[in-house]
Amino acid sequence: MTRMSRRDTALACVVAVLWGVNFVAIHASLEQFPPFFLASLRFALLAVPALLFVRRPQVPVRWLVLYGVGFGILQFVFLYAGMAAGMPAGLASLVLQASAPFTVLLAALFLKERPGAVRLTGIAVAVTGFTVIAVTRGLQAQLVPVLLVLAGAMGWAIGNIGAREARPSQPFAFMMWMTVIPPVPLLLLSLVVEGPARIESSLSSSFTAAALPAWVGLAYTVLISTVIGTSLWSLLMSRNPSSSVAPFSMLVPVAGFLSAGILLGERPEVGDLVGGVLVIVGVLAPTLLAVRRHLGDRRAADDGTLPPSPVETVG
């Protein structure tokens, strides 16, 4: 397995920090805008340049739509609703990582992929962690926000299935064109659930000094987190093995907790921390074990104790 360069390792850490801080940015925007309208506005600001300047990726439309519905609509409807209902930004960055075990389960159900025993054990550990968090929050009458964010994680997992089946050769273009799908459905949902009066009120009061953090948060989400963060992540995935890059995503909740603690004064409960450790171990351990096994086989092959695999044989 190719080892990531120091530069790429640093970039992966930077992306994780950018994505972790994004939850604080979302919190700031939700202070001004209703959640469904905010999600629609977020994607509308990305959809316009996508239509004007980005060539549509050559992938089946059904998988692009599934990605847009899962990743763009379902994830952010429930994530924003959960945070608007009181889910702390730092904890939201952690609970959203449930998308990883959800993706494995959906792939097993619909794509007939068979997760190994180690992967299933990791899922069980992660689920235990989420259960600890749910119980902790349930005791504080804050279970509904946790369940909403978990539903958002399921939406992300559904989007992952669409992305996996699409197999885009241009991941950034695929992501940008996905943003064309959510704005109108989200706006209609906002009109029905939140109402025109609430939307108008949020807009009319948004051009004040008090609303500046909301606009800064929205700009951060659109430009820094989505455009820059996703571009860097796509670059890293294009020139490194996915198994080397993917584990860095588990730094996102670390950055989320730290930034929420510094900027918002959030302090996680003991149960949140215990559950968080279990989640990170459950999600990350199978990948690290696979990497370790691969490196062990590679080392044995180099020592001559195992024959090299056909892929690694130089003719």
Side-chain angles (χ1 to χ4, degrees):
M1 179 173 294
T2 305
R3 179 179 297 178
M4 288 176 62
S5 66
R6 291 183 179 179
R7 179 183 178 184
D8 282 0
T9 300
L11 284 177
C13 292
V14 168
V15 174
V17 172
L18 295 181
W19 285 348
V21 175
N22 185 49
F23 288 85
V24 175
I26 293 172
H27 173 87
S29 297
L30 287 170
E31 293 289 295
Q32 176 66 33
F33 301 107
F36 302 153
F37 178 71
L38 175 62
S40 176
L41 185 59
R42 166 188 180 158
F43 284 108
L45 292 174
L46 289 166
V48 172
L51 289 169
L52 292 177
F53 304 113
V54 181
R55 180 175 296 180
R56 189 177 76 83
Q58 298 303 305
V59 299
V61 173
R62 65 182 181 276
W63 300 127
L64 179 62
V65 170
L66 182 62
Y67 185 52
V69 171
F71 183 87
I73 297 177
L74 296 178
Q75 176 184 191
F76 290 101
V77 160
F78 289 112
L79 171 63
Y80 282 21
M83 292 184 67
M87 185 69 158
L91 192 60
S93 70
L94 172 67
V95 173
L96 201 63
Q97 300 305 313
S99 63
F102 284 162
T103 299
V104 174
L105 294 176
L106 290 179
L109 288 173
F110 297 105
L111 304 182
K112 307 305 179 185
E113 295 183 3
R114 295 185 176 181
V118 173
R119 182 71 63 183
L120 290 174
T121 302
I123 291 175
V125 173
V127 169
T128 301
F130 289 123
T131 302
V132 171
I133 292 171
V135 170
T136 299
R137 291 289 153 175
L139 293 175
Q140 300 177 5
Q142 294 179 332
L143 180 58
V144 170
V146 174
L147 296 178
L148 286 171
V149 177
L150 281 173
M154 178 58 77
W156 186 358
I158 292 171
N160 284 341
I161 299 301
R164 182 172 299 179
E165 290 299 282
R167 295 179 175 85
S169 58
Q170 298 175 306
F172 180 73
F174 181 70
M175 184 279 299
M176 286 298 293
W177 266 82
M178 174 276 296
T179 65
V180 175
I181 297 167
V184 173
L186 288 172
L187 179 58
L188 292 175
L189 180 64
S190 177
L191 288 170
V192 172
V193 177
E194 296 162 344
R198 188 177 176 191
I199 295 173
E200 182 182 359
S201 175
S202 70
L203 286 173
S204 62
S205 62
S206 66
F207 299 101
T208 63
L212 182 60
W215 286 111
V216 172
L218 181 59
Y220 183 97
T221 297
V222 172
L223 297 176
I224 306 299
S225 176
T226 303
V227 176
I228 295 177
T230 302
S231 297
L232 289 175
W233 192 260
S234 298
L235 175 65
L236 292 170
M237 293 290 283
S238 69
R239 64 190 189 192
N240 295 282
S242 59
S243 57
S244 297
V245 180
F248 283 90
S249 68
M250 289 313 302
L251 293 177
V252 172
V254 176
F257 271 114
L258 289 176
S259 60
I262 294 171
L263 299 175
L264 302 178
E266 291 183 1
R267 295 293 181 267
E269 302 290 334
V270 174
D272 296 335
L273 295 175
V274 172
V277 170
L278 290 173
V279 170
I280 292 174
V281 169
V283 172
L284 194 57
T287 299
L288 293 180
L289 287 174
V291 171
R292 181 179 180 182
R293 187 182 303 113
H294 181 91
L295 291 175
D297 292 345
R298 180 84 174 263
R299 191 177 299 111
D302 292 341
D303 293 342
T305 56
L306 281 178
S309 67
V311 175
E312 297 174 341
T313 301
V314 179

